[in-house]
Amino acid sequence: MDDVQHLLNEGGDNRLDDHDVESAAELPGTDQTQSSDGIPITDQSSLQQERKAFLNVLQLGLVFMLLFTAFNTNGIITQVVIKSIHAENPTFTGSGYISLAIIYSVFATFNWLAPSCLSLLGPKLTMIVGGITYVLFIVGFIWPNTIVLYLTSVLVGAGAALIWTGQGNYLTLMSTQETISRNSGVFWAMLQSSMLFGNLFVYYQFKGKDIIDHHTRTVVFAVLTVVGVLGLGVLCLLPRPGTDGSGRTDDLGSPFTALKKSLALFKTKDMILLSATFFYTGIELSFFSGVYSACLSFTQRFPDPKKLVGLSGMFIGLGEISGGGIFGLFGSKTVKFGRDPIVILGYLVHMVCFFLIFLNLPTMSPLDSTSSPSYLPNGQPSEVVAMLCSFLLGFGDACYNTQIYSILGGVYQDNSGPAFALFKFTQSVAAAICFYYSSKFHLYWHLGIMVVFATIGTLTFCTVEWKAHRRQNRAKPDTTAFD
């Protein structure tokens, strides 16, 4: 066990004590020169560095807002668009669910190599390489081809591992113990605003159409491609960590050392417990990003089901933005009460949401068009309830993800690359599994599975958080691996 702990702590210049997270930020000495306004020069320098770091977090959020305006919108409409392509071209045999399953399967596998790539390229270049694959995937929909669809799915799966590992590392290097909750919330709100803008565009493009024709598809995917390229451009302008006094630098060691760190960290008790939470976020991610929009689109008792696809995406985005914004603006206050109340709030929100979806939508809706009645009066599903559920899905997801970012960026700040890679590995395994069974399972099976894993994931997260609070001086959770 000592060998594992040594491995986790090697390779960096700024290391936390194993039992005191707050010791990472050393207090300035008492002998300080003061400026004309009475503020010590060392404090002024720290404030300037923090401002620069926060501006870099905002720029990072803008990058992901643009890239994922393109990609998340693409993901939500994939199954609906592919059904329309099938209607026009029977030789096209691609499946949106299979494409997403491939993406998350490769994503999961490549996450083990992502820290090694990070150690070679650094967070900025790692994100750039990953971002290019996202744009290539979207371009493939302009000229739909089954082979191209699945090949670009493999590419974007590998790229996703790179961009998210780089993002987690970059965000951590731009944060301190005091700012990680705020920065996580602000980044999450900016990222999820992508769902608002992209789906607003799709809402107007798809409105009143039963079949999404070739011209509409071309316009939508051409615009999404341009937005993705703009995101890459802003990413190229992102400062490297440590430049101009902003943020910290990180040293993962050699690629092989980075891989060993990931393996060692994965065996720790608290990471195993947190993996249950990661797994749930993957299941509910796949549900709201692909399954739920298909359910709305295939429920024929709605007056105009196709328009609900874009509208649902907007309300999911509003929920995500609300959660991220609240926990970002009040991060310094919520962190005093721990992360567990916010995760428990997310759990309760999702339980209410799943019950309302159960009442509102027929169980066959994920698979094909259906006119089956709901459990609401007269068997008529409610558009208001459907959009409320979209908002609740987004808000609950923000509760979980902002606190996961906070606990990983705070507790594992000197192993942030491997920690975020393991988070995305577990999350993407769950998402891939969900997309594989999505082509077979009815809606009620989806809801039952999510209730079970939400309960387990919330309990394990709270266990890790409570252990942290029990340690003196709010020390980070135990990272002693099982023998």
Side-chain angles (χ1 to χ4, degrees):
M1 292 190 291
D2 293 338
D3 292 340
V4 173
Q5 189 65 31
H6 172 73
L7 178 61
L8 290 175
N9 289 328
E10 71 179 6
D13 295 324
N14 301 317
R15 293 294 179 249
L16 294 177
D17 185 271
D18 289 344
H19 302 290
D20 191 358
V21 173
E22 292 182 339
S23 66
E26 296 183 357
L27 293 173
T30 54
D31 185 16
Q32 298 177 7
T33 304
Q34 293 188 339
S35 63
S36 58
D37 55 7
I39 300 175
I41 291 177
T42 52
D43 286 355
Q44 283 191 330
S45 176
S46 297
L47 287 173
Q48 290 175 353
Q49 290 179 13
E50 184 178 324
R51 291 193 192 100
K52 288 180 180 179
F54 185 61
L55 288 175
N56 292 343
V57 170
L58 293 178
Q59 187 173 345
L60 181 69
L62 178 61
V63 169
F64 276 70
M65 182 185 74
L66 292 171
L67 268 177
F68 284 88
T69 291
F71 184 75
N72 282 345
T73 306
N74 188 326
I76 285 177
I77 67 177
T78 293
Q79 185 64 13
V80 176
V81 166
I82 284 179
K83 284 279 186 181
S84 298
I85 296 173
H86 283 162
E88 291 183 3
N89 180 14
T91 62
F92 181 83
T93 58
S95 165
Y97 288 144
I98 298 299
S99 168
L100 291 167
I102 291 172
I103 289 172
Y104 283 100
S105 296
V106 177
F107 186 7
T109 304
F110 207 79
N111 267 307
W112 288 104
L113 299 177
S116 298
C117 296
L118 181 66
S119 71
L120 281 174
L121 304 176
K124 178 180 176 179
L125 192 53
T126 298
M127 287 189 287
I128 290 174
V129 174
I132 291 171
T133 66
Y134 278 69
V135 175
L136 292 176
F137 179 75
I138 297 167
V139 169
F141 279 86
I142 299 177
W143 302 280
N145 178 279
T146 304
I147 295 176
V148 171
L149 172 66
Y150 292 149
L151 283 177
T152 54
S153 297
V154 172
L155 281 178
V156 81
L162 294 176
I163 198 170
W164 283 109
T165 300
Q167 176 271 333
N169 180 245
Y170 191 91
L171 182 67
T172 301
L173 295 177
M174 292 297 163
S175 304
T176 65
Q177 286 292 317
E178 291 74 25
T179 63
I180 184 63
S181 292
R182 179 202 66 188
N183 290 351
S184 297
V186 169
F187 170 81
W188 192 257
M190 294 185 71
L191 166 66
Q192 297 303 333
S193 65
S194 63
M195 301 191 72
L196 181 63
F197 302 131
N199 286 287
L200 180 63
F201 172 63
V202 167
Y203 170 75
Y204 284 108
Q205 289 293 317
F206 285 9
K207 189 175 181 180
K209 296 183 178 181
D210 294 325
I211 298 294
I212 313 304
D213 59 86
H214 178 266
H215 173 73
T216 301
R217 296 197 305 268
T218 302
V219 170
V220 167
F221 289 111
V223 170
L224 295 182
T225 299
V226 171
V227 173
V229 171
L230 287 175
L232 281 177
V234 178
L235 178 55
C236 291
L237 300 176
L238 191 69
R240 294 178 183 274
T243 57
D244 298 326
S246 61
R248 299 178 291 116
T249 56
D250 198 10
D251 181 13
L252 286 174
S254 69
F256 182 66
T257 299
L259 178 60
K260 288 196 296 181
K261 283 186 178 182
S262 298
L263 292 170
L265 189 61
F266 193 56
K267 294 188 295 182
T268 60
K269 295 177 182 178
D270 287 313
M271 187 58 73
I272 290 172
L273 288 171
L274 288 173
S275 292
T277 315
F278 303 161
F279 195 87
Y280 170 64
T281 65
I283 293 176
E284 55 102 1
L285 166 68
S286 61
F287 180 78
F288 77 71
S289 65
V291 177
Y292 188 63
S293 59
C295 291
L296 298 177
S297 175
F298 294 150
T299 301
Q300 296 304 303
R301 283 179 174 253
F302 287 125
D304 188 356
K306 291 295 184 292
K307 80 171 184 180
L308 295 181
V309 175
L311 202 58
S312 171
M314 285 190 283
F315 275 93
I316 291 172
L318 286 173
E320 297 275 15
I321 294 166
S322 299
I326 291 170
F327 306 136
L329 291 174
F330 300 102
S332 60
K333 295 179 174 60
T334 57
V335 74
K336 295 178 182 178
F337 302 102
R339 304 173 181 93
D340 47 300
I342 297 174
V343 169
I344 292 172
L345 172 63
Y347 172 77
L348 296 175
V349 166
H350 272 178
M351 291 304 103
V352 171
C353 176
F354 298 156
F355 179 67
L356 292 175
I357 292 174
F358 171 79
L359 295 178
N360 196 43
L361 298 178
T363 190
M364 286 296 296
S365 56
L367 304 177
D368 207 348
S369 296
T370 177
S371 297
S372 299
S374 72
Y375 287 108
L376 296 182
N378 302 319
Q380 180 63 33
S382 167
E383 292 183 342
V384 173
V385 172
M387 295 305 103
L388 173 62
C389 290
S390 297
F391 179 86
L392 295 178
L393 282 171
F395 186 86
D397 183 65
C399 290
Y400 279 96
N401 278 280
T402 55
Q403 301 317 298
I404 288 172
Y405 270 72
S406 178
I407 200 168
L408 293 182
V411 170
Y412 299 103
Q413 67 174 226
D414 292 318
N415 294 290
S416 60
F420 278 96
L422 292 174
F423 165 41
K424 288 300 177 179
F425 163 73
T426 311
Q427 186 183 62
S428 53
V429 165
I433 291 171
C434 182
F435 281 123
Y436 275 120
Y437 67 63
S438 292
S439 59
K440 304 294 182 183
F441 280 14
H442 295 178
L443 174 61
Y444 298 164
W445 278 101
H446 284 278
L447 298 176
I449 290 169
M450 287 191 292
V451 167
V452 170
F453 281 99
T455 303
I456 296 171
T458 301
L459 288 174
T460 56
F461 185 95
C462 291
T463 299
V464 175
E465 181 69 7
W466 293 337
K467 285 172 65 179
H469 278 285
R470 284 198 299 265
R471 295 197 181 102
Q472 187 178 7
N473 297 324
R474 299 179 66 191
K476 65 181 179 181
D478 180 23
T479 53
T480 302
F482 286 118
D483 288 331

